[in-house]
Amino acid sequence: EFYTNNWILHTKVGLAILLGIFSIPPTVFFMKQRKGPEDEQVETPKMVTLMLRLELALLFIIPLLASLMAKGIGYFGA
């Protein structure tokens, strides 16, 4: 009951799903670039850089939310 009535848990799960979605474009880009010659210089698109930065931000936010949830913050049940 604690977990189903805690909005922080729902936020954490949503952010984890968003993290997985944000990781798809960089993964696809890097997998495609592996097939080229090793000495070739490849410029990383700005969208890939943005996605990686958003992933990093989410990786900092999720543990913060976990610590808040461990302290009992966010529980709206009886």
Side-chain angles (χ1 to χ4, degrees):
E1 184 178 333
F2 174 76
Y3 294 110
T4 57
N5 291 326
N6 195 322
W7 66 270
I8 293 180
L9 175 73
H10 298 290
T11 305
K12 277 180 49 182
V13 171
L15 290 178
I17 292 169
L18 199 60
L19 181 66
I21 293 170
F22 283 166
S23 71
I24 294 171
T27 302
V28 170
F29 173 76
F30 290 124
M31 293 297 278
K32 286 182 180 178
Q33 296 307 316
R34 277 184 17 186
K35 297 177 183 177
E38 288 186 25
D39 59 345
E40 180 183 4
Q41 290 277 331
V42 178
E43 186 174 328
T44 308
K46 291 186 182 200
M47 189 63 166
V48 171
T49 305
L50 175 66
M51 291 291 184
L52 290 173
R53 288 180 180 171
L54 286 172
E55 286 181 58
L56 187 60
L58 290 177
L59 283 173
F60 282 114
I61 293 171
I62 291 173
L64 175 68
L65 291 175
S67 66
L68 290 174
M69 193 175 77
K71 293 180 181 181
I73 297 172
Y75 180 68
F76 58 83

